[in-house]
Amino acid sequence: MIESLLDLSPVIPVVVVHDTDEAVGVARALVDGGVPVIELTLRTPVGLEAIRRIAAEVPEIVVGAGTVVTPDQAAQAAAAGAQFLVSPGSTDRLLDAMAETGLPHLPGVSTVSETLALIERGYRELKFFPAEAAGGVPFLKALHAPVPAARFCPTGGITQASAATYLALPNVGCVGGSWLTPADALAERDWTRVSTLAAATTGLAVAG
């Protein structure tokens, strides 16, 4: 049982794949680099099948579904073997559907009001998206004092260079990033490069 999605790894790789073999390869490369979690987005037609294959063939990684934007996708991702769900935003129907799966999930927020609304529903761990476009580090730093109950996984525009700045904030548990799995590395099946990028994230510190 996953107690906290935000404590699995300093960085949750956010991955877009275009074929299922690519998905299995990148999952194995992340594990080899010491990263135990992958967020597989549902932005491509193979997303659900990719989750199914990772769950079956790379059981040592925690696989989640990202870009969950409809209630149906929440149920389909759970049926495919996803172990957690991530949405870029939230509606009442989507929140209900994610909760009905019984899986841990991170609903997305980008404003103070959205954050307060989700706290009212009992959420304490949230996705902050799109992080850089929605205010980045200054926004999260300003939010901590009035809303200390919320912890975030900021995602969107975060790079290897900026990750540590986010992770130093007391209300950030981890960050989501796509830099660990560059599109050209996946296309070329350069799993050594992915493993090397993954290994570089394991030393990133998170504020305690």
Side-chain angles (χ1 to χ4, degrees), residues 86-100:
V86 183
S87 65
S90 56
T91 66
D92 287 337
R93 287 187 62 225
L94 182 57
L95 289 169
D96 289 344
M98 290 194 293
E100 285 170 8

Side-chain angles (χ1 to χ4, degrees), residues 10-208:
V11 180
I12 295 180
V14 180
V15 185
V16 181
V17 297
H18 298 277
D19 70 62
T20 57
D21 287 340
E22 184 178 86
V24 171
V26 73
R28 287 178 174 151
L30 290 170
V31 170
D32 288 345
V35 173
V37 59
I38 182 172
E39 178 187 327
L40 213 295
T41 74
L42 301 184
R43 300 177 193 176
T44 64
V46 303
L48 290 171
E49 182 58 28
I51 289 170
R52 191 172 289 110
R53 282 199 59 186
I54 291 173
E57 299 177 40
V58 196
E60 57 269 43
I61 200 166
V62 177
V63 59
T67 320
V68 176
V69 296
T70 69
D72 285 346
Q73 284 182 327
Q76 291 164 355
Q83 293 166 273
F84 66 92
L85 307 172
V86 183
S87 65
S90 56
T91 66
D92 287 337
R93 287 187 62 225
L94 182 57
L95 289 169
D96 289 344
M98 290 194 293
E100 285 170 8
T101 67
L103 296 175
H105 51 283
L106 292 177
V109 299
S110 61
T111 69
V112 178
S113 294
E114 290 170 350
T115 301
L116 293 177
L118 287 174
I119 287 176
E120 286 183 359
R121 288 187 62 132
Y123 289 92
R124 294 295 181 268
E125 297 190 347
L126 309 168
K127 173 176 176 171
F128 176 50
F129 177 84
E132 284 291 289
V137 167
F139 176 89
L140 291 171
K141 188 180 294 185
L143 186 60
H144 178 58
V147 193
R151 289 179 77 215
F152 297 92
C153 174
T155 305
I158 298 173
T159 65
Q160 186 172 9
S162 64
T165 306
Y166 278 94
L167 291 169
L169 299 176
N171 55 348
V172 170
C174 65
V175 299
S178 58
W179 78 86
L180 287 75
T181 56
D184 59 338
L186 270 60
E188 296 165 9
R189 305 296 200 268
D190 189 350
W191 306 134
T192 299
R193 182 180 171 197
V194 172
S195 293
T196 299
L197 289 168
T201 71
T202 59
L204 291 171
V206 180

